[in-house]
Amino acid sequence: MFHIKTYNQIAQEGLNRFEPSEYALNASEQADAWVIRSHDVHEAEIPPYLLAIARAGAGVNNLPLERLARQGVVVFHTPGANANAVKELVLASMLLSVRPILQGVRWVNEHTFNSQTLLERAMEDEKRKFVGAELRGKKVGIVGLGAIGSALASDLIQLGVDVVGYDPHLSVDGAWNVSKQVKRARHVSELLADIDLLSIHMPLTADTRGIIDASWFNQMKPRTTVLNFARGELVNDSDLLDALDGNVETYITDFPKQQLLGHPRIVAFPHLGASTKESEVNCAVQAVDTLKSYLETGNIRHSANFPDTELPYIGKRRLAVLHLNVPNMVGQIASRLAENGINIDNMVNRSRGDVAYTLIDIDNHQNEKLSVHTLYEIEDVMRVREF
């Protein structure tokens, strides 16, 4: 029986995937795993028995990933589960940026007229103020072609938009999801100089924090619209305010900043990107499924602090070893098993930065006794699990 502790409101459709015969929800403080959304873990005490944390969402800024990794706690998140919700909000924002639809709606609702005739006459006079443009035929640059960026690019192409993409870290698998009609920029400078709208979909890391600064804005042509639905910290706010007096016509973001509020050409949403019922369900289901797979088989998929590692589970005894990424670790593990008369049937090892993960299927009868303590004697082994 695995014990699961939940924080925040997790969609019931996800929680229902925990079989009551195998999982107990919020029945014990000594939980094997946590399922969270926005709960901040940075100052939390991490108990030694905690195996994993699953976040029902893509971002992991509320989790101390390195500290958790060093304690042998695998963190899961749900990239792509809310991609459609974010994509639709970005697409709607682009349409609103080229046509002053909201301004027109506001004008209608702020005025009263004594008759329908007067209303229609006033509309004919005033609607000239709300003439906009069409998105079709515009050129959009997308930085970051992951689940959201690639989906956005595909929809824009269907609308007759010329799309240029830039993603220096695009994987082979990710490339399959990008339309062949998306033009590829080999450097961000190739993309910035000739676009009407820029949409940001890159992750926030130590290297990307504040990366969108004057060096980007100065390369844009006048009246460029910038949309940031990735993370607010990607943009240098001071340089952005200067750029709004220069090349940037409008800045649209899902991450309001105090110093940017009230600017007439900044449109800020209250972090609505994933706020759809479908997205909340998708995130909860994916978080629970990946967590269950890890707890039951040791397989890791969509982890934010350990390498994705999978070995088909066929019912053999299995060892899962979380350890530091140091030389000869696999050799030491194999030697310890051999010394105890344990034969390895299958094994996979993956690393990610300073940590690594080794899954081992044992070719021995179930009744053969194995003490995992012998593996804990190896320096830099953080956690061993036996299935």
Side-chain angles (χ1 to χ4, degrees), residues 72-192:
V73 179
V74 180
V75 173
F76 296 94
H77 62 148
T78 58
N82 60 4
N84 188 71
V86 177
K87 176 207 70 176
E88 289 186 358
L89 185 58
V90 176
L91 192 58
S93 300
M94 288 184 174
L95 293 167
L96 292 174
S97 74
V98 295
R99 297 191 68 174
I101 297 170
L102 294 180
Q103 294 90 322
V105 171
R106 190 178 303 118
W107 178 85
V108 169
N109 286 279
E110 287 177 349
H111 293 78
T112 57
F113 301 90
N114 293 328
S115 69
Q116 182 66 25
T117 300
L118 290 175
L119 168 60
E120 292 177 359
R121 187 179 300 165
M123 286 193 299
E124 285 301 315
D125 292 338
E126 293 293 326
K127 71 179 185 180
R128 297 181 182 88
K129 297 179 180 178
F130 308 121
V131 173
E134 296 180 11
L135 194 57
R136 183 181 182 87
K138 296 295 184 292
K139 193 168 189 177
V140 173
I142 299 177
V143 178
L145 293 167
I148 298 170
S150 60
L152 176 64
S154 296
D155 281 9
L156 288 171
I157 287 169
Q158 294 299 313
L159 292 173
V161 175
D162 189 9
V163 180
V164 184
Y166 173 71
D167 191 335
H169 306 295
L170 186 64
S171 66
V172 174
D173 289 340
W176 283 101
N177 296 320
V178 180
S179 170
K180 293 181 180 179
Q181 297 181 56
V182 175
K183 298 179 179 65
R184 178 189 176 192
R186 297 184 180 276
H187 191 274
V188 71
S189 60
E190 294 179 30
L191 176 145
L192 293 175

Side-chain angles (χ1 to χ4, degrees), residues 312-360:
Y313 191 64
I314 57 175
K316 288 181 175 287
R317 292 174 68 193
R318 171 170 288 188
L319 291 176
V321 187
L322 296 90
H323 54 86
L324 295 184
N325 184 22
V326 296
N328 196 36
M329 180 59 74
V330 173
Q332 292 185 75
I333 294 171
S335 295
R336 288 297 180 104
L337 295 178
E339 291 169 3
N340 285 269
I342 303 299
N343 186 49
I344 295 174
D345 176 72
N346 203 357
M347 180 173 64
V348 61
N349 170 267
R350 296 286 185 270
S351 63
R352 179 173 180 170
D354 295 332
V355 297
Y357 187 54
T358 302
L359 274 178
I360 305 166

Side-chain angles (χ1 to χ4, degrees), residues 222-234:
R223 306 200 67 175
T224 299
T225 293
V226 177
L227 301 100
N228 176 17
F229 286 76
R231 279 291 179 267
E233 293 82 1
L234 293 167

Side-chain angles (χ1 to χ4, degrees), residues 256-267:
K257 293 285 196 66
Q258 183 66 34
Q259 71 183 96
L260 302 180
L261 295 180
H263 194 287
R265 296 210 305 280
I266 293 179
V267 179

